[in-house]
C-alpha cells in the first residue's frame, strides 16, 4: 500500500497521515524498523507474542491495528502506529516539521482533503495546538471524514482522530479533550490522549 507521511500540514500543529488502504499486499510489503515507545520493557528470556502496534487485543484480519497517542503539552510529539508500522514518533523525528509554505493559509491541506480518494484513511493527532490555523472550510472537510469535534476544536485542545474519505457515519475513532484551566493536567495543556484498536479495512 502507499503510505504517505505528509508530516506537518497545518502550521506546526496538526499532524496528518493519509494511508491508502486499497491494497491487499500491505502486510507483506511493510518492514517496520522502529519499536514503539511501549515496546522496550519486555523480559528478554520470554518469548512474548505481541500484537501489531503492541496493542492489548489482537485485531481480526479484516481490520488494521492502530494506536494513536496525542502530543503531551508542547513537549512530546504524538505517536502513531498503523498496522504495526510506526508512522510518526519523536524517535522517528518526523513530527513538528514539514511543508510549511503550504500551511500558511491552509490551501494545501484543503486541497489534500478534497482530493483524497474514497476509502483513504486519515489519521490525525494534535500537538500543542490543533485549532488556530483551521478555518471553517478545513473544519468542514475534517467533519466530512467523520469527525464529531472538528467544529469545536479550540486553542490547545487535545484531539486524536481516524476518519475516512467517503464514510457515511461519524467515526468511532476520535477522542477530544478541551483545554480547561480547571481540569488541565499540564500548565496550559490538557492530558495526553491515547486510543488503540482495530479499524476496518473496508470503509463504509
Ligand atoms: C510487529 O513489528 C515488530 C517489529 O517492530 C515485529 O517484531 C513483530 O513481529 C511484528 N508483529 C506482527 C504481528 O507482525
Amino acid at each position: 500500500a502507499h503510505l504517505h507521511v505528509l508530516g506537518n500540514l497545518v502550521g506546526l500543529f496538526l499532524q496528518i497521515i493519509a494511508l491508502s488502504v486499497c491494497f491487499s499486499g500491505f502486510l507483506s510489503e511493510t518492514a517496520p524498523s522502529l519499536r514503539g515507545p511501549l515496546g522496550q520493557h519486555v523480559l528478554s528470556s520470554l518469548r512474548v507474542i505481541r500484537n501489531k502496534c503492541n496493542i492489548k487485543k489482537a485485531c481480526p484480519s479484516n481490520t488494521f491495528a492502530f494506536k494513536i497517542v496525542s502530543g503531551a503539552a508542547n513537549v512530546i510529539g504524538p505517536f502513531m502506529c498503523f498496522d504495526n508500522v510506526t508512522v510518526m514518533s519523536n524517535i522517528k523525528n518526523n513530527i513538528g516539521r514539514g511543508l510549511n509554505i503550504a500551511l500558511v493559509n491552509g490551501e494545501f491541506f484543503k486541497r489534500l482533503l478534497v482530493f483524497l480518494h474514497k476509502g483513504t484513511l486519515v489519521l490525525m493527532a494534535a500537538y500543542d495546538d490543533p485549532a488556530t490555523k483551521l478555518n471553517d472550510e478545513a473544519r468542514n472537510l475534517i467533519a466530512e471524514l467523520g469527525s464529531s469535534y472538528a467544529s469545536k476544536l479550540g486553542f490547545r485542545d487535545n484531539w486524536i482522530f481516524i476518519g475516512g474519505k467517503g464514510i457515511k457515519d461519524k467515526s468511532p475513532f476520535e477522542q477530544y479533550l478541551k483545554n480547561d484551566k480547571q481540569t488541565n493536567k499540564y500548565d496550559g495543556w490538557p492530558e495526553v490522549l491515547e486510543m488503540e484498536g482495530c479499524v476496518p479495512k473496508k470503509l463504509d
Side-chain angles (χ1 to χ4, degrees):
H2 294 199
L3 190 94
H4 308 283
V5 178
L6 294 167
N8 199 326
L9 294 177
V10 186
L12 287 172
F13 310 116
L14 188 62
Q15 306 292 336
I16 300 178
I17 293 181
L19 298 156
S20 175
V21 293
C22 325
F23 301 87
S24 55
F26 190 65
L27 302 182
S28 48
E29 282 169 30
T30 51
S33 55
L34 275 177
R35 242 170 290 166
L38 305 176
Q40 266 99 34
H41 311 286
V42 177
L43 293 175
S44 57
S45 59
L46 284 178
R47 263 242 177 136
V48 180
I49 298 182
R50 284 198 234 127
N51 294 322
K52 289 184 174 178
C53 296
N54 278 336
I55 67 177
K56 290 171 204 93
K57 278 194 196 161
C59 284
S61 62
N62 61 341
T63 63
F64 289 116
F66 73 88
K67 180 174 178 116
I68 300 187
V69 185
S70 70
N74 60 348
V75 180
I76 301 173
F79 170 84
M80 284 186 191
C81 173
F82 189 84
D83 200 24
N84 211 27
V85 181
T86 302
V87 284
M88 185 180 288
S89 74
N90 268 330
I91 300 165
K92 283 195 85 133
N93 199 19
N94 61 350
I95 48 183
R97 19 159 107 189
L99 312 156
N100 295 302
I101 294 168
L103 314 178
V104 175
N105 56 10
E107 256 325 287
F108 184 83
F109 175 63
K110 210 173 72 196
R111 258 185 287 156
L112 173 81
L113 290 188
V114 168
F115 288 113
L116 283 180
H117 291 291
K118 201 166 178 241
T120 301
L121 279 181
V122 181
L123 288 73
M124 304 190 188
Y127 181 26
D128 187 7
D129 170 30
T132 305
K133 307 243 168 145
L134 283 182
N135 61 16
D136 287 348
E137 201 169 5
R139 287 170 191 269
N140 288 340
L141 288 164
I142 298 172
E144 278 170 25
L145 300 173
S147 168
S148 309
Y149 296 103
S151 61
K152 301 188 182 105
L153 285 181
F155 179 64
R156 289 186 178 171
D157 289 351
N158 217 344
W159 178 63
I160 49 183
F161 171 67
I162 299 182
K165 184 81 173 188
I167 67 171
K168 291 189 209 88
D169 297 317
K170 289 299 173 195
S171 167
F173 306 111
E174 182 168 29
Q175 288 185 18
Y176 170 71
L177 209 49
K178 197 150 190 47
N179 170 18
D180 180 341
K181 269 199 207 99
Q182 308 298 319
T183 54
N184 278 350
K185 163 148 182 184
Y186 305 103
D187 193 19
W189 290 268
E191 170 71 293
V192 172
L193 288 175
E194 189 173 325
M195 135 177 108
E196 63 176 46
C198 312
V199 66
K201 289 185 181 174
K202 263 192 80 185
L203 294 171
D204 52 19

